Amino acid sequence: MSTLLAIGECMVELVPKGVSECQQSFAGDTYNALVYAKRFAEQLNCELFSAVGEDILSINMLEKWQQEGIGSKKVIKTADHNVGIYAISTDQHGERSFDYWRNQSAAKHMMELYTKQPFDFGLVRNDWVFFSGISLAILDDESKQQLVYLLAKLKAQGCIIAFDPNYRARMWQSKAHAIEWLEHAYQISDVVLPGLDEHYTLFGHTDAKDIVDYCQQFAIDEVVIKAGSKGMQVFCQNILSAQCVFNPAPQQVDSTAAGDSFAGTYLAARMTQHEPQIALEIADKVASKVVQHQGAILPFDVYQALNLSSAK
């Protein structure tokens, strides 16, 4: 059984329901991707490397992971920190904004905890490891370096490293700081999933060619470009291998996890031997459904109604 290991933070997600009530669930970019990967390809062993507390919310979180089929054997538990929390608000167009309470989040200390008690990840050649710009941004610089070193070691063992920049400006000291670590990530990655908007913000890139040309210096095997209304393209070994036009959802309620669901589904499809074109179309279909519902994770019955079984 192939393994997809995601690295990052899962948090308590609060969606306000009026002034005095909230709907609670659990989410985080790489965790969201992992859930959608597992839903698409049940045969995959999907695990999250992170850290959680010993508080009741952390306990409930791990129980939810189990329900989703997400393994927690590589999660470090600590009594010194708790799980992070964020609240979502959406505007009339379904675009979201977040408020965070994560200063005491255990996940911010996962590399510090790991270096004190390292363990064998048990990954073998052709297992995949997925991380994001947020996985890096929550860590201090010393921990960022430790994570990059760990990923380089896993790559040397034959693991396939996938990276989504998922740039959030306020999580970085500066644009230059973000670029520095994004480039460290690109240097060790085999598959990257950049968005045109974030590359425009960071590098001034205006089209897919700019991104592909930029990525050539890192010898990245597969570049999956999300360009919003301009559609999506996949370049394998710098050659256009798949493309998909923009298919707007009939109604956008909440854009939370659109990119995460796309990334998780795409990676799972590629891990299960689907060609880039098929993987792209399936991932787009999932993401289009996700934005029509509130919160990061689709209700399971809504996901099943997508009827992706024929693509598997």
Side-chain angles (χ1 to χ4, degrees), residues 29-192:
D29 70 329
T30 56
Y31 168 77
N32 301 340
L34 205 57
V35 168
Y36 287 104
K38 182 66 175 180
R39 288 187 178 184
F40 177 75
E42 295 178 8
Q43 68 269 38
L44 295 180
N45 176 38
C46 292
E47 299 196 40
L48 187 69
F49 170 47
S50 189
V52 300
E54 296 180 357
D55 55 287
I56 186 61
L57 291 174
S58 291
I59 293 168
N60 291 344
M61 175 186 287
L62 295 179
E63 184 177 333
K64 181 60 178 177
W65 294 8
Q66 185 177 18
Q67 293 172 9
E68 290 284 359
I70 306 303
S72 58
K73 292 180 180 179
K74 297 174 177 62
V75 172
I76 303 169
K77 298 177 184 177
T78 174
D80 297 328
H81 304 282
N82 296 329
V83 66
I85 301 173
Y86 73 95
I88 296 176
S89 57
T90 53
D91 65 19
Q92 60 182 340
H93 304 294
E95 290 300 330
R96 79 280 196 220
S97 58
F98 304 96
D99 292 299
Y100 290 96
W101 297 267
R102 73 185 338 159
N103 287 342
Q104 296 302 314
S105 169
K108 294 177 66 173
H109 302 273
M110 62 181 172
M111 292 310 302
E112 171 191 335
L113 295 166
Y114 171 75
T115 54
K116 289 179 180 176
Q117 273 190 310
F119 53 84
D120 183 2
F121 280 85
L123 300 179
V124 297
R125 180 171 292 277
N126 294 325
D127 283 339
W128 289 51
V129 182
F130 175 59
F131 73 118
S132 73
I134 294 177
S135 307
L136 284 169
I138 64 172
L139 306 174
D140 61 36
D141 281 5
E142 181 179 354
S143 295
K144 287 181 178 66
Q145 188 58 61
Q146 290 166 344
L147 177 57
V148 168
Y149 176 73
L150 171 63
L151 289 162
K153 266 179 60 177
L154 294 173
K155 180 171 182 172
Q157 293 172 201
C159 293
I160 297 168
I161 309 299
F163 176 67
D164 185 339
N166 212 350
Y167 174 61
R168 300 289 182 269
R170 70 179 186 175
M171 297 184 72
W172 296 93
Q173 296 172 16
S174 64
K175 186 185 294 187
H177 188 231
I179 291 172
E180 174 189 354
W181 288 102
L182 185 146
E183 292 188 337
H184 283 309
Y186 274 11
Q187 286 170 355
I188 55 172
S189 296
D190 302 289
V191 180
V192 297

Side-chain angles (χ1 to χ4, degrees), residues 222-266:
E222 193 162 330
V223 181
V224 185
I225 300 172
K226 300 162 290 183
S229 61
K230 296 181 180 179
M232 294 157 288
Q233 294 178 309
V234 180
F235 292 80
C236 298
Q237 304 294 334
N238 304 319
I239 297 172
L240 179 62
S241 302
Q243 54 187 334
C244 184
V245 299
F246 175 61
N247 295 303
Q251 180 183 17
Q252 181 167 299
V253 173
D254 182 358
S255 60
T256 304
D260 308 336
S261 61
F262 176 89
T265 305
Y266 182 87

